[in-house]
């Protein structure tokens, strides 16, 4: 289901956002295709790309390109983006999950390359980050509650970790796709929040950093109706292996250079 009424307050804000409201609309607009490209991760899938500790993913929809997290440094990030044949200037939105350096560290250098973007930051960020974004000539939006980012792309809003963190939700025809940066609020809580917000009782794919949860997370994912998993970054090898064993062909070995195509066929 779609979070609606959001368009009405979907304004570029230059001051701290007030608490947003969520309205649920009866009709559903789902994305039929999306491509997810890992451009920063400590796990490696394509040896032509560079690895470093952190997370960054480009989401391509029919509407636009969104960068979710910028890794720890812009040099690695931009190198990898270009290796995947993506023009950094074709990205027009950036979403930052949380304040840790391995997610926000590449932002300033990315903006030096392309400032023609809107950056969706957690509202709890200090003003120094807003000042940096505007001094590079880019715009920012403070995110507190859940909201729309793009057609069929939403943020969970800030959930408490610590630190406060937002995760992305893509409402696809195949089901919900949930992308987490580090999952400090707990990956199970994030998946529950995404299902509740979107009025769904399962999720097609959960991917990103899961913040080394207990092995029981695998069973919890099954209970939550998660069909595919692509854990990386801070998930930890034992949990990753447990997911691989349980999910078999629905475990996606995710890491830098990996492209996941979402297609309704
Ligand atoms: Zn973190
Ligand atoms: Zn991290």
């Amino acid at each position: 289901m779609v979070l609606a009424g959001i368009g009405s307050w979907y304004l570029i804000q230059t001051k701290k956002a007030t608490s947003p409201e969520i309205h649920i609309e009866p009709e559903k607009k789902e994305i039929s295709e999306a491509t997810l490209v890992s451009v920063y991760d400590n796990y490696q899938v394509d040896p032509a790309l560079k690895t470093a500790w952190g997370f960054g993913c480009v989401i391509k929809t029919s509407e636009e390109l969104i960068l979710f997290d910028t890794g720890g440094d812009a040099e690695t990030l931009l190198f990898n983006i270009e290796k995947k044949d993506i023009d950094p200037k074709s990205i027009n939105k950036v979403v930052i999950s949380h304040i840790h350096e391995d997610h926000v560290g590449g932002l300033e250098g990315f903006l030096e390359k392309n400032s023609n973007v809107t950056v969706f930051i957690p509202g709890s960020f200090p003003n120094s980050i807003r000042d940096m974004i505007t001094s590079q000539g880019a715009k920012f939006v403070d995110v507190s509650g859940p909201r729309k980012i793009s057609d069929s792309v939403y943020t969970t809003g800030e959930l408490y970790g610590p630190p406060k963190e937002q995760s992305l939700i893509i409402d696809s025809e195949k089901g919900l796709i949930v992308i987490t940066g580090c999952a400090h609020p707990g990956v199970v809580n994030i998946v529950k929040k995404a299902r509740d917000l979107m009025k769904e009782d399962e999720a097609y794919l959960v991917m990103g950093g899961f913040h080394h949860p207990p092995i029981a997370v695998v069973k919890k994912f099954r209970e939550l109706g998660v069909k595919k998993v692509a854990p990386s970054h801070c998930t930890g090898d034992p949990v990753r292996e447990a997911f691989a064993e349980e999910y078999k062909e629905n475990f996606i070995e995710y890491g830098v250079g990996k492209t996941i195509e979402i297609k309704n066929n």
Side-chain angles (χ1 to χ4, degrees), residues 53 97-103 162-163 165 181-184 211 233-234:
W53 181 259
S97 64
H98 68 297
I99 195 145
H100 290 160
E101 191 64 18
D102 55 323
H103 298 258
E165 178 169 345
C182 253
H184 291 288
H211 206 254
H233 179 38
C234 55

Side-chain angles (χ1 to χ4, degrees), residues 66-102:
I66 302 163
L67 174 63
F68 180 57
D69 280 345
T70 59
D73 73 287
E75 194 191 323
T76 305
L77 176 73
L78 292 167
F79 176 88
N80 289 340
I81 287 176
E82 286 169 7
K83 273 276 174 208
K84 292 302 286 181
D85 289 325
I86 299 167
D87 178 0
K89 290 194 160 67
S90 65
I91 292 168
N92 56 352
K93 285 176 183 160
V94 179
V95 180
I96 302 293
S97 64
H98 68 297
I99 195 145
H100 290 160
E101 191 64 18
D102 55 323

Side-chain angles (χ1 to χ4, degrees), residues 121-136:
I121 54 170
S124 53
F125 269 19
N127 278 331
S128 56
I129 294 181
R130 290 181 191 87
D131 292 346
M132 181 278 283
I133 293 169
T134 49
S135 71
Q136 292 292 342

Side-chain angles (χ1 to χ4, degrees), residues 9-188:
W9 57 266
Y10 180 57
L11 301 166
I12 305 304
Q13 294 160 18
T14 51
K15 56 181 172 35
K16 199 163 170 66
T18 51
S19 277
E21 285 179 36
I22 296 298
H23 307 275
I24 305 297
E25 211 177 47
E27 76 256 38
K28 200 167 164 89
K29 187 180 179 301
E30 295 164 332
I31 218 163
S32 59
E33 286 186 21
T35 306
L36 313 164
V37 185
S38 173
V39 291
Y40 204 109
D41 209 296
N42 35 288
Y43 285 100
Q44 187 169 41
V45 167
D46 182 348
L49 275 70
K50 291 180 182 169
T51 51
W53 181 259
F55 187 80
C57 174
V58 173
I59 296 131
K60 296 186 195 178
T61 72
S62 56
E63 294 293 311
E64 56 191 346
L65 269 67
I66 302 163
L67 174 63
F68 180 57
D69 280 345
T70 59
D73 73 287
E75 194 191 323
T76 305
L77 176 73
L78 292 167
F79 176 88
N80 289 340
I81 287 176
E82 286 169 7
K83 273 276 174 208
K84 292 302 286 181
D85 289 325
I86 299 167
D87 178 0
K89 290 194 160 67
S90 65
I91 292 168
N92 56 352
K93 285 176 183 160
V94 179
V95 180
I96 302 293
S97 64
H98 68 297
I99 195 145
H100 290 160
E101 191 64 18
D102 55 323
H103 298 258
V104 73
L107 179 59
E108 186 165 15
F110 177 82
L111 296 177
E112 280 167 13
K113 187 88 176 176
N114 175 16
S115 62
N116 193 22
V117 294
T118 301
V119 188
F120 293 77
I121 54 170
S124 53
F125 269 19
N127 278 331
S128 56
I129 294 181
R130 290 181 191 87
D131 292 346
M132 181 278 283
I133 293 169
T134 49
S135 71
Q136 292 292 342
K139 300 185 189 86
F140 69 84
V141 173
D142 279 326
V143 173
S144 45
R147 64 172 297 155
K148 184 174 174 178
I149 299 285
S150 178
D151 271 355
S152 303
V153 182
Y154 305 88
T155 164
T156 57
E158 287 187 306
L159 301 177
Y160 188 64
K164 286 184 174 176
E165 178 169 345
Q166 60 175 331
S167 305
L168 275 190
I169 307 166
I170 304 172
D171 192 17
S172 87
E173 286 177 4
K174 293 208 140 179
L176 297 183
I177 298 160
V178 182
I179 312 176
T180 58
C182 253
H184 291 288
V187 70
V188 168

